[in-house]
Amino acid sequence: MGFTTDNADRFFESITEKEKQDQVGYWSNDIGLPSSLDEKFQRWLFAMVSPRTSWQLNVRGYEAIKDFYAWKWNKRELAKRLRQSGAGLHNERADNIWSFTKSYWDDPIEYLPKAGEHWWAYRDRIERKIKGIARAKTSFGLELNFPSTARVLCADIHGCRLFGFDSTLTKSTKHTHLYDRMEYHWLNQCRAYGIPSVAARNIFWNRQLRRKNTRFWSRCLESSETKSRLDQLESAEEYKKNNPLFNWAGIN
């Protein structure tokens, strides 16, 4: 199948107001903007672990290295943590993350958007700086760092299939053009339906994995306070669902 927007159009038409409110609220308020250069770096680390692995191993790999002061000056320790996480390709990941770490901490301001810089130009500039992640995962890094405002698309395998492709796109000139078309259409639909790109993509992702929200993977990005609060809310909801007499008694 070639490029088509039919499935994407149907997806945007099907987004419910509850899905929209839940995802916008979660990513804008519960996750929110990183509050320091350290936290920005950690969100880039999550993106750096993500290529060619499952979401489960992405989380495990990130959890193994998010305490980066333990390995920031010790590449062997970084490689050991990645190997023990089971995320796979640990030598390649260690090389790429080590290179990125030196680049980032050499000049972290270079990883921020410049005044007047278009999102696409920003994304492409960062992609050229980071070894080991291409356009989709660089976009993912921007999504994690700017969850309410990023106007880019992380077109992973699921996103590519939405637009009619059976596999992810390569760096060839032809595929770069196709990626541009996907991203342009996606962002136009986000504008038309009044939903941030990150929220829309996570609604799509949740549906693919039949999950009610993204906490099955994004919980590791939450602050300890947010994690505790949301865990308590989910426990209360689960209790009410499993104990119908709780509602019959008029207790809410």
Side-chain angles (χ1 to χ4, degrees):
M1 185 187 296
F3 178 81
T4 176
T5 63
D6 292 347
N7 292 332
D9 292 343
R10 282 192 288 270
F11 163 69
F12 276 96
E13 290 171 3
S14 72
I15 294 175
T16 67
E17 189 61 29
K18 184 179 188 310
E19 284 178 314
K20 178 178 174 180
Q21 290 179 358
D22 286 350
Q23 285 305 298
V24 171
Y26 177 72
W27 284 96
S28 298
N29 303 320
D30 296 323
I31 294 293
L33 288 169
S35 59
S36 65
L37 291 174
D38 281 11
E39 192 175 345
K40 291 178 191 295
F41 177 69
Q42 286 175 317
R43 295 198 188 182
W44 277 111
L45 287 180
F46 193 93
M48 290 292 297
V49 178
S50 66
R52 291 178 288 170
T53 194
S54 65
W55 69 262
Q56 294 96 330
L57 292 179
N58 191 170
V59 171
R60 284 175 57 181
Y62 171 72
E63 293 278 14
I65 66 172
K66 69 177 182 180
D67 180 16
F68 61 91
Y69 282 102
W71 56 261
K72 187 177 178 182
W73 296 276
N74 188 335
K75 185 179 178 182
R76 286 187 178 181
E77 179 63 21
L78 168 62
K80 183 182 80 172
R81 287 170 175 248
L82 288 169
R83 183 177 63 255
Q84 291 176 344
S85 76
L89 303 172
H90 60 271
N91 288 329
E92 180 180 336
R93 291 190 203 281
D95 287 344
N96 293 338
I97 292 171
W98 186 253
S99 175
F100 163 67
T101 300
K102 290 193 293 183
S103 174
Y104 182 91
W105 289 111
D106 207 35
D107 190 359
I109 304 305
E110 273 297 298
Y111 284 85
L112 300 176
K114 299 180 184 297
E117 189 173 35
H118 192 282
W119 281 105
W120 292 352
Y122 175 34
R123 186 262 316 284
D124 293 348
R125 174 171 62 83
I126 299 302
E127 181 186 353
R128 291 191 293 270
K129 292 177 68 68
I130 301 180
K131 176 186 175 184
I133 58 174
R135 176 176 283 198
K137 297 305 184 180
T138 305
S139 299
F140 185 38
L142 295 189
E143 288 181 351
L144 296 174
N145 274 281
F146 303 93
S148 299
T149 56
R151 289 190 53 77
V152 292
L153 170 64
C154 171
D156 60 9
I157 182 61
H158 299 289
C160 286
R161 287 172 180 161
L162 181 69
F163 284 92
F165 304 111
D166 293 329
S167 61
T168 52
L169 302 180
T170 68
K171 288 187 175 182
S172 71
T173 302
K174 175 185 176 182
H175 281 188
T176 298
H177 174 63
L178 290 172
Y179 197 111
D180 289 343
R181 290 179 67 189
M182 284 195 299
E183 189 169 54
Y184 182 79
H185 185 81
W186 177 270
L187 296 175
N188 274 344
Q189 290 293 75
C190 288
R191 186 185 304 111
Y193 284 88
I195 183 170
S197 177
V198 176
R201 197 176 76 80
N202 282 311
I203 290 170
F204 177 70
W205 179 245
N206 290 343
R207 290 186 186 180
Q208 299 306 299
L209 276 70
R210 299 182 181 180
R211 303 278 185 155
K212 66 178 182 178
N213 59 48
T214 59
R215 292 197 76 219
F216 66 96
W217 68 267
S218 59
R219 185 176 180 275
C220 65
L221 301 174
E222 298 169 357
S223 68
S224 56
E225 179 182 335
T226 296
K227 191 175 291 159
S228 176
R229 175 173 55 82
L230 295 181
D231 284 350
Q232 288 180 40
L233 287 173
E234 288 191 353
S235 294
E237 289 176 1
E238 189 67 19
Y239 182 84
K240 288 176 69 175
K241 184 176 72 173
N242 294 328
N243 293 270
L245 286 176
F246 190 76
N247 290 331
W248 296 350
I251 303 172
N252 295 308

